[in-house]
Amino acid sequence: MPRRRQNLVSFGTALDQDETPKKTVWSLAEAKTLFLEDIRNLAMHTQRWHRENLNALEKVLEKQGIVVQDMRELTMPLLKNNFVFYMRDTMHLKTNTINGRVRTVRAVLHFAYEQGYVARDFGADVPLLRPERVIIQTFSEGQITNLLRQPDRHTFTGLRDYTMMLLLLETGIRLSECEGITLSDVHLQEGTILVHGKGSKDRTVPFQSKMKKVLQTYIEARGAAQTDRLFVTLERKTMSRRYIQELISQYGEAAQIRGVRVSPHTFRHTMAKFYVLAGGDIFSLQRILGHSSLETVRIYVEMFSHEVQHQHQKFSFVEHRFR
């Protein structure tokens, strides 16, 4: 597809690509305002993300006594040395944080080029850092089985805790999302839960028949309470996130699970792992987990690629049906 042409029109002589177009000066603050106005059609969380990244750019430069009067002063050496490498080497920020800010700067530089304010779009040349290798801990099938054996389902608290851990494993929801589920969010007939995610983003997460039976049994045992929250204490009150964390950790100790942190987030990673191994696609996994981009979901695929290869070896139609 042909690249979008430059917006600036020059009459008489062709504009030299190295010549700076003559327009009203944009300070960095003005460029930020114009850019944010231009992306008003994007989702609010995306706009907020770009705004935060541009605020961070100004603050990082100000830390070094650099004030940008004209955004054309954002040269490649300045962006590399006083922005990207400064955040890495002096501020010791995480790679994902730095790369997010770089992506916003790239978008602003491209916007300035489209508006004819700069003669060349060099945003793509601003370097991204090599992503850090992420180690994701997950439970094995044996550990999950042992963990779910721990709650005494003949008691209310045991049934509640079993239901909660099974729901974390079935849906991959976050601790905050689990804590926030209300009775009205659970739709047993449809097999879905309305989850209130990060950044005030709601999403519908499915669950299957076995989970439905367990939820139905728990809800009947739960009865009326002082709160509409799904999971409640013996006093029929809301359970705090810390209380849930401590409960799950205690069950991990009882199950004598070693080598992996027993936490709600490990259930989330485990759900994603087995979803990928079962052949689930990353696009539906992204929607279920509530990630705003595919980048985090791709990590699961990369992390478990050797296990996917093993699964393929076991179930390859060609391998086992053709001689």
Side-chain angles (χ1 to χ4, degrees):
M1 190 172 75
R3 189 168 185 166
R4 183 174 177 176
R5 62 164 291 154
Q6 190 169 318
N7 198 30
L8 184 67
V9 177
S10 178
F11 298 96
T13 59
L15 177 69
D16 179 41
Q17 288 300 303
D18 293 325
E19 180 185 343
T20 301
K22 303 298 187 293
K23 292 178 73 71
T24 303
V25 171
W26 291 358
S27 67
L28 183 53
E30 290 166 334
K32 178 175 69 175
T33 300
L34 292 169
F35 172 73
L36 293 174
E37 287 177 354
D38 188 65
I39 61 170
R40 283 179 298 177
N41 62 317
L42 300 182
M44 289 302 298
H45 72 275
T46 303
Q47 295 182 50
R48 183 167 57 250
W49 181 71
H50 281 304
R51 183 181 299 106
E52 290 171 355
N53 287 337
L54 289 173
N55 289 341
L57 170 63
E58 289 180 301
K59 290 177 181 176
V60 169
L61 295 179
E62 286 173 4
K63 275 179 175 286
Q64 303 163 79
I66 301 171
V67 179
V68 178
Q69 301 291 349
D70 184 339
M71 76 158 293
R72 286 172 292 201
E73 298 169 14
L74 293 176
T75 61
M76 180 60 68
L78 183 143
L79 288 171
K80 286 175 64 175
N81 299 320
N82 300 96
F83 185 53
V84 180
F85 297 148
Y86 184 85
M87 288 189 292
R88 182 193 67 183
D89 301 333
T90 303
M91 299 178 69
H92 306 294
L93 299 181
K94 292 183 178 180
T95 299
N96 286 344
T97 300
I98 296 172
N99 285 345
R101 293 176 178 180
V102 168
R103 288 188 176 92
T104 294
V105 169
R106 285 179 166 188
V108 172
L109 291 171
H110 181 69
F111 167 73
Y113 170 74
E114 285 189 320
Q115 297 302 309
Y117 188 70
V118 295
R120 190 172 70 86
D121 180 9
F122 65 90
D125 299 331
V126 182
L128 291 170
L129 299 181
R130 185 184 298 276
E132 300 165 346
R133 181 168 178 77
V134 179
I135 304 299
I136 296 177
Q137 293 186 329
T138 61
F139 298 122
S140 67
E141 289 189 50
Q143 288 173 327
I144 281 290
T145 301
N146 197 18
L147 193 56
L148 291 174
R149 284 187 183 139
Q150 301 310 311
D152 180 1
R153 284 184 272 168
H154 294 97
T155 66
F156 170 74
T157 54
L159 175 61
R160 176 201 65 195
D161 298 346
Y162 174 82
T163 304
M164 186 188 307
M165 289 195 289
L166 198 66
L167 187 64
L168 290 169
L169 185 64
E170 171 79 345
T171 62
I173 56 177
R174 302 175 177 93
L175 170 59
S176 60
E177 296 169 343
C178 179
E179 181 261 343
I181 294 172
T182 65
L183 281 175
S184 58
D185 291 330
V186 181
H187 305 283
L188 289 173
Q189 289 303 114
E190 293 83 358
T192 61
I193 293 179
L194 178 64
V195 175
H196 309 288
K198 292 171 66 175
S200 301
K201 290 175 61 180
D202 292 349
R203 68 184 187 281
T204 300
V205 177
F207 57 83
Q208 304 309 314
S209 57
K210 291 182 180 179
M211 186 73 245
K212 176 181 177 179
K213 290 178 182 177
V214 174
L215 273 170
Q216 197 163 24
T217 301
Y218 165 71
I219 290 173
E220 289 173 2
R222 176 192 179 280
Q226 298 177 25
T227 173
D228 190 34
R229 293 289 173 85
L230 176 63
F231 297 111
V232 296
T233 66
L234 275 175
E235 292 75 24
R236 303 178 186 274
K237 296 180 180 179
T238 301
M239 296 176 68
S240 69
R241 297 179 198 178
R242 183 172 181 178
Y243 184 48
I244 295 172
Q245 284 178 313
E246 290 175 351
L247 276 177
I248 291 176
S249 178
Q250 289 168 11
Y251 285 122
E253 287 294 323
Q256 297 184 343
I257 293 177
R258 302 290 181 264
V260 57
R261 181 170 177 248
V262 182
S263 73
H265 218 68
T266 306
F267 280 92
R268 180 172 169 86
H269 292 324
T270 302
M271 177 272 176
K273 170 184 175 177
F274 286 108
Y275 192 92
V276 169
L277 293 182
D281 69 278
I282 62 174
F283 299 102
S284 57
L285 181 59
Q286 177 195 4
R287 290 194 297 272
I288 292 170
L289 294 180
H291 285 299
S292 57
S293 76
L294 282 171
E295 289 183 28
T296 306
V297 183
R298 285 195 182 101
I299 293 174
Y300 292 120
V301 178
E302 293 170 4
M303 281 291 298
F304 308 129
S305 58
H306 66 289
E307 297 185 54
V308 171
Q309 184 178 3
H310 178 65
Q311 289 289 93
H312 185 269
Q313 184 181 24
K314 285 169 55 180
F315 301 113
S316 167
F317 180 79
V318 172
E319 181 71 15
H320 298 288
R321 295 294 185 273
F322 286 87
R323 297 288 186 267

